[in-house]
Amino acid sequence: MTSAVAETSHSPAVEKKFLQQVMSNTPGETHLDMCIQCGSCGGCCPSAAEMDHTPRSLIALIRAGNFEEVLNSNTPWYCVSCYFCTVRCPQEVHVTDVMYTLKRMAVQAGIKDPCAAPDFSKTFVSWVENYGRAFELGLMSMFRLRHDPFGVVRITDMAVGMLSKGRMDIAPTSIKGLSGLKAILARAKALEVVA
Amino acid sequence: MKYGYFPGCSLERNAAAYDKSTKAVAVPLGMEFVEVEDWNCCGATEYISLNLLASYALSARNLAQAMRTDGLGELVAPCSACYLNLTKCDKNMRESPSLTAKVNEALAAGGLSYKPGSMRVRHLLDVVVNDVGFDTVRAKVTRPLNGLKIAPYYGCFLARPGYVPVDDPEQPIVLDRLLEALGAEVVDFSLKSQCCGGHMTQISEGMGLEMIRRLVQTASESGADLIATICPMCQLNLDAFQGAMNRHFGLNLHLPVLYFTQMMGLAFGIEREALGIGSELVNAREALSLIGSTPESDAGGPPKRVKKDDKALPMPVPLARA
């Protein structure tokens, strides 16, 4: 009986472990253990309608130790990072930073992407890691072609407008200290694995 | 007043007008900017979604580069996302010695280090309002924006999550006051601190466009001739995606979106070209032709009452007019 309980994701030990993991992976005070399930976060979330779980439900799932459902949820990826939930939470739960933590935990756990957002982040970051600067045209064209090739038509006038107004580069710009930056990021990633 | 300057990737290209107009108004306002040497991308909202320590190291490299610029303790970021990332990095490093140790171990691989608290990161609007001040701004106005109705748009990161208390997170007001100081009529824009959607036009197009529609339509219904913004991401969404939004919803809105620095420049009598005006996709020419025209409400005393219905019962007349 005891061992059967221990194997489910709802055992007290697993519950506490997952909650603690999320909290310790987030810099600053998350106050995640203080949530009173009032739902203010979901109520003011501009993208809640598109989410698998509202932020409140997701926090309940974290505290129940249901890490599989949490990490497979699209909720963190639909967070627009507006911080309204964070400033409105009566318990000062740092919901937005928790969403960032859950995204990282899902990627690092090798969870299958629940929507296009993780690939958008990865594409954005690949330009930054290779040049030190963001590259909008490369990001948008690569990402669109992979996820919505026919949708390119819908933004053609916008892209043409941006190019003709000189608001988009056609090639990425590299920083001077690129080798130093690459060394810094490689060391940071190695340290993150240890931590 | 001398500041370190962190333009960020947007101001290099898509928001070059923000960079240009910032530098143009810096001269009359007495702000001197020294650009951070060889800065890198702040990571936006993307890097921190994938790697924690690498995203902190990315921001800390910028802070370390800024620290090497002698004699500058303050770093100005006109982009709200850069502002938030740099502030967040410094704040969390200050509060966590273990995070600082790891970030510095990573920075050491590139021969750098950063002592948390060395740089005070400021948003450009904060500097204009609190260091330069409304009086100085008002004194520089040679061509007041009379006749122009502006919706002030703050977006998210100036006041949320509010690591540095600059303004109210729900009802910010400093941009309203600044635009008033320029002589513009500031409309009551109820969604002024709502989110523009960030990268949502790419992730979930319908949702991204809906967030843009709400903002542009509400500002338009508030009577605004244009929107003044303080962030390149907000400008990009509301301006460059306005056409796609109109098509998606079958609307025909035309509301130009300019930077607050461009509005200051116009009021200071600076040439439009020097402010990057004309690079917006929703053309602002027509709206800007209103500058100098007299707003309807100021046309010769109180507005005349028009009796809509002859058969209606008499209504009390306000005392002042009786």
Side-chain angles (χ1 to χ4, degrees):
Chain A
M1 179 72 186
T2 319
S3 62
V5 170
E7 278 163 20
T8 69
S9 63
H10 301 286
S11 79
V14 172
E15 280 172 27
K16 203 169 166 211
K17 198 175 155 217
F18 186 51
L19 174 66
Q20 292 299 336
Q21 264 179 349
V22 176
M23 289 175 74
S24 65
N25 285 341
T26 314
E29 290 289 331
T30 63
H31 298 141
L32 195 52
D33 49 347
M34 310 257 288
C35 171
I36 53 170
Q37 291 286 298
C38 70
S40 300
C41 42
C44 65
C45 178
S47 43
E50 304 253 341
M51 291 173 165
D52 291 338
H53 308 87
T54 61
R56 180 200 61 76
S57 315
L58 202 71
I59 293 173
L61 286 165
I62 296 170
R63 300 207 304 188
N66 198 337
F67 56 87
E68 275 178 29
E69 194 163 347
V70 170
L71 297 183
N72 280 293
S73 174
N74 73 3
T75 297
W77 297 102
Y78 273 86
C79 167
V80 288
S81 199
C82 72
Y83 291 87
F84 263 124
C85 52
T86 302
V87 298
R88 286 177 178 172
C89 176
Q91 293 294 84
E92 297 179 8
V93 176
H94 209 303
V95 186
T96 313
D97 275 357
V98 167
M99 293 297 170
Y100 281 124
T101 300
L102 295 174
K103 292 193 231 185
R104 292 193 299 268
M105 288 174 81
V107 169
Q108 281 155 20
I111 302 281
K112 187 177 170 289
D113 294 352
C115 59
D119 193 51
F120 185 82
S121 296
K122 286 172 200 167
T123 314
F124 183 99
V125 164
S126 71
W127 291 108
V128 176
E129 289 181 341
N130 288 310
Y131 295 92
R133 298 265 169 97
F135 177 43
E136 284 154 355
L137 184 64
L139 167 67
M140 284 180 62
S141 50
M142 275 177 69
F143 178 77
R144 281 271 174 166
L145 286 171
R146 267 205 302 274
H147 294 271
D148 184 19
F150 298 109
V152 173
V153 180
R154 292 197 300 279
I155 56 159
T156 307
D157 60 335
M158 185 270 242
V160 169
M162 294 295 279
L163 285 165
S164 68
K165 299 266 182 185
R167 289 178 62 180
M168 230 189 236
D169 277 320
I170 51 167
T173 316
S174 180
I175 63 166
K176 282 181 266 168
L178 189 60
S179 58
L181 176 68
K182 283 184 173 178
I184 290 170
L185 297 177
R187 177 81 63 87
K189 285 184 185 176
L191 286 165
E192 189 156 353
V193 174
V194 175
Chain B
M1 289 169 285
K2 206 170 173 182
Y3 302 91
Y5 183 64
F6 186 85
C9 304
S10 291
L11 273 77
E12 282 280 282
R13 193 56 65 213
N14 96 53
Y18 195 11
D19 185 61
K20 215 172 172 181
S21 53
T22 297
K23 285 170 180 162
V25 298
V27 182
L29 293 180
M31 300 183 289
E32 193 185 329
F33 294 133
V34 184
E35 186 168 325
V36 174
E37 174 71 21
D38 203 34
W39 51 268
N40 54 261
C41 172
C42 76
T45 54
E46 313 304 336
Y47 216 148
I48 198 165
S49 303
L50 302 177
N51 296 93
L52 179 72
L53 214 48
S55 80
Y56 273 80
L58 194 72
S59 287
R61 181 185 176 274
N62 285 325
L63 292 167
Q65 290 285 100
M67 207 172 73
R68 291 165 107 195
T69 315
D70 286 340
L72 300 174
E74 307 223 349
L75 182 61
V76 176
C79 168
S80 300
C82 298
Y83 164 72
L84 177 68
N85 278 331
L86 294 167
T87 313
K88 185 186 249 185
C89 175
D90 184 59
K91 179 238 170 210
N92 281 329
M93 281 178 77
R94 254 185 291 132
E95 289 175 5
S96 167
S98 64
L99 178 69
T100 301
K102 278 188 214 150
V103 171
N104 272 325
E105 201 178 331
L107 285 181
L112 293 170
S113 77
Y114 177 67
K115 186 172 168 280
S118 310
M119 295 304 296
R120 183 181 173 214
V121 184
R122 313 271 308 271
H123 193 285
L124 178 64
L125 179 61
D126 172 23
V127 170
V128 169
V129 166
N130 294 310
D131 291 12
V132 175
F134 295 124
D135 289 340
T136 309
V137 171
R138 219 172 275 123
K140 296 290 172 192
V141 175
T142 57
R143 200 165 170 245
L145 305 181
N146 294 338
L148 194 61
K149 293 182 189 142
I150 306 182
Y153 181 48
Y154 298 78
C156 304
F157 302 149
L158 174 77
R160 288 191 309 272
Y163 295 129
V164 184
V166 175
D167 206 342
D168 187 85
E170 302 275 352
Q171 292 293 335
I173 196 76
V174 290
L175 181 58
D176 296 51
R177 296 280 174 269
L178 181 68
L179 296 169
E180 281 165 9
L182 303 176
E185 185 184 335
V186 176
V187 304
D188 186 7
F189 180 31
S190 56
L191 301 182
K192 62 184 178 180
S193 65
Q194 292 285 327
C195 179
C196 73
H199 65 202
M200 268 305 150
T201 52
Q202 307 302 303
I203 311 293
S204 176
E205 201 170 358
M207 182 190 139
L209 295 177
E210 164 61 11
M211 293 179 79
I212 294 166
R213 181 201 64 78
R214 284 199 312 157
L215 290 163
V216 176
Q217 198 163 23
T218 306
S220 184
E221 283 166 0
S222 312
D225 302 312
L226 65 82
I227 295 176
T229 176
I230 65 167
C231 169
M233 189 77 237
C234 298
Q235 203 281 341
L236 183 74
N237 272 328
L238 301 191
D239 176 47
F241 285 94
Q242 203 172 117
M245 179 276 289
N246 275 327
R247 274 200 303 281
H248 187 82
F249 293 103
L251 294 169
N252 193 22
L253 296 164
H254 181 97
L255 198 57
V257 189
L258 295 182
Y259 294 102
F260 79 102
T261 43
Q262 293 178 303
M263 303 322 297
M264 280 199 288
L266 286 169
F268 299 167
I270 299 172
E271 286 301 313
R272 290 181 183 192
E273 202 181 314
L275 300 168
I277 288 173
S279 66
E280 66 284 351
L281 296 197
V282 179
N283 199 298
R285 203 180 302 123
E286 204 181 317
L288 296 181
S289 70
L290 293 166
I291 298 175
S293 67
T294 322
E296 289 157 36
S297 53
D298 288 359
K304 284 182 187 146
R305 281 170 61 88
V306 181
K307 204 171 181 186
K308 283 179 189 153
D309 183 355
D310 288 346
K311 293 182 186 91
L313 288 169
M315 293 297 286
V317 179
L319 274 180
R321 225 177 291 157

